[in-house]
Amino acid sequence: MARIEHVEILMVDLPPAVERVDAIQSFVSQETPIVRITDSDGAEGVGYAYTIGTGGPAIISLLERTLAPRLIGREAEEIEAIWRDLLFATHATAVGAITSLALAAIDTALWDLRCRRAGLPLWRMAGGAQPSVPLYTTEGGWLHLPAEALAEDAAEMKARGFSGAKLKIGKPSLSEDRARLAEVRAAVGENFRLMVDANQAFDLAEAMRRADMLAEARVDWFEEPMPADNVGAHARLARHSRVPIAVGESMYSQAQFKDYLEQGAASIVQTDVARIGGITPWLKVAHMAEGFNVAICPHFLMELHVSLVCAVPNAPLLEYIPQLDAITTSRLDIRDGCAHPPEAPGLGIAWDWSGIRARIVPGTHHEFGEGGTHATHGHGHRAEA
């Protein structure tokens, strides 16, 4: 056991490599808060979270003013106790995205530290259920792209061995979504999974109409058809739809997933490790879903989720959207259309610290140490591992 002696927080901004547009928003940029924790034995762990372009400074402020100072002197191995204490320290702002994302950056750093100390990769430390998982792509399925581009990308990914592709839907008319799906299906044939994502764009009546069309198009799941806080509407849709309903990227607590599962409102849960508050609650949701015989197919964050989906037995797919290429030297290990988790101790993400330092958003870099010392820097000065 070793106490936490030093905490560093910072944020970088990562413009997406491709334009990302869905039915309700554009992915402006990826604000990426990063937390680096060092214990009294010199062991280190790094965690992170993300936004799609807004709210990042609020996450950094919560980390700086409330959460990071509470870590100094804590036993680094007491991850469950730390997560619970920090949650209760922020109970007036939970459940919500800002709090969950801040908690996630800390929690993933602590898991990284734990695994590094143990000399084990995260996927083994957290369960070691499966050595690889099939991939599906979303990166070529954005709503602004013409149908022929969707079809071309899906066909290319099929040729690379991917199991499926996800397309954004939510065009003004049902017929437009139907035509786009038909063109992609014609390009990839029947032996390729197609999923769709509405990004909460519909009301119940429209979701029911689209669900009927999606069943005819032989779609594997209908993702986020309606606002995520309306569990009752999703339960009604699930009873109506012949297409499985997938939800979870816009939920921020275990209790929300419990409500969905108990009411039969979700056939697939898509718990996002950052938005749920870290690895600690992610694993709880995954095992809760397993108890309901429901699959977990997490949203985004493939560099981290690859280890988590391989840790549990009920994760059949991993979503392919490259996220961290600009600030890491590691890449997802893809063989025969499957993702293989890193075998290096920890999260298995090799951070490019010189690249990170060059991208720090001004005013977001803070350090905490023993005695409550606190320093803010425009640029880092620590020696890098």
Side-chain angles (χ1 to χ4, degrees), residues 12-321:
V12 298
D13 210 359
L14 304 176
V18 302
E19 186 178 4
R20 297 170 178 168
V21 177
D22 61 41
I24 65 169
Q25 63 203 348
S26 295
F27 197 127
V28 178
S29 189
Q30 182 186 298
E31 297 171 313
T32 308
I34 296 174
V35 172
R36 195 178 189 186
I37 297 174
T38 307
D39 70 16
S40 55
D41 289 338
E44 181 180 284
V46 179
Y48 68 107
Y50 74 98
T51 79
I52 62 169
T54 58
I59 296 168
I60 292 295
S61 181
L62 184 59
L63 287 165
E64 176 206 357
R65 295 170 178 267
T66 304
L67 299 179
R70 284 175 161 81
L71 295 174
I72 303 301
R74 297 294 301 264
E75 289 290 346
E77 284 288 340
E78 295 177 356
I79 296 177
E80 182 76 38
I82 291 172
W83 192 91
R84 182 67 55 179
D85 289 346
L86 294 183
L87 177 68
F88 278 99
T90 56
H91 68 91
T93 61
V95 171
I98 299 300
T99 299
S100 291
L101 291 164
L103 289 172
I106 290 172
D107 191 71
T108 53
L110 289 173
W111 272 91
D112 188 37
L113 191 156
R114 167 184 280 178
C115 294
R116 288 172 184 251
R117 284 179 62 93
L120 289 172
L122 173 61
W123 81 275
R124 293 186 186 275
M125 191 78 169
Q130 48 187 346
S132 64
V133 67
L135 280 162
Y136 77 91
T137 180
T138 297
E139 193 71 324
W142 302 102
L143 193 64
H144 68 285
L145 296 172
E148 55 270 24
L150 302 179
E152 181 179 344
D153 183 79
E156 178 185 343
M157 300 311 270
K158 180 182 178 181
R160 289 175 56 183
F162 279 49
S163 295
K166 186 165 72 184
L167 312 177
K168 300 293 184 175
I169 65 169
K171 289 292 187 179
S173 70
L174 180 151
S175 61
E176 289 179 87
D177 281 339
R178 177 191 284 123
R180 288 160 64 83
L181 274 166
E183 184 154 349
V184 176
R185 177 59 75 193
V188 297
E190 295 295 329
N191 245 353
F192 191 72
R193 306 179 75 162
L194 292 182
M195 291 73 80
V196 300
D197 184 358
N199 291 99
Q200 308 182 79
F202 302 136
D203 59 21
L204 178 57
E206 187 59 31
M208 286 182 170
R209 292 181 66 243
R210 305 269 173 149
D212 291 339
M213 178 272 289
L214 296 175
E216 297 169 3
R218 304 172 304 287
V219 165
D220 278 64
W221 75 58
F222 187 5
E223 182 175 330
E224 284 207 312
M226 296 173 289
D229 56 1
N230 195 337
V231 62
H234 282 85
R236 290 180 62 187
L237 177 63
R239 289 192 293 269
H240 166 87
S241 175
R242 289 177 288 152
V243 176
I245 304 303
V247 294
E249 71 178 76
S250 301
M251 297 184 198
Y252 304 99
S253 77
Q254 300 166 55
Q256 290 174 311
F257 286 95
K258 174 186 68 68
D259 291 343
Y260 265 81
L261 290 166
E262 284 183 339
Q263 295 191 40
S267 301
I268 295 152
V269 297
Q270 298 185 297
T271 321
D272 182 315
V273 68
R275 295 181 181 182
I276 193 66
I279 293 168
T280 297
W282 190 96
L283 289 169
K284 294 179 182 181
V285 171
H287 293 308
M288 179 168 59
E290 182 188 2
F292 282 86
N293 197 29
V294 168
I296 182 165
C297 297
H299 161 256
F300 204 35
L301 289 169
M302 69 178 195
E303 295 89 348
L304 178 51
H305 280 141
V306 63
S307 296
L308 294 178
V309 296
C310 289
V312 300
N314 56 321
L317 291 168
L318 177 68
E319 182 174 28
Y320 177 82
I321 304 179

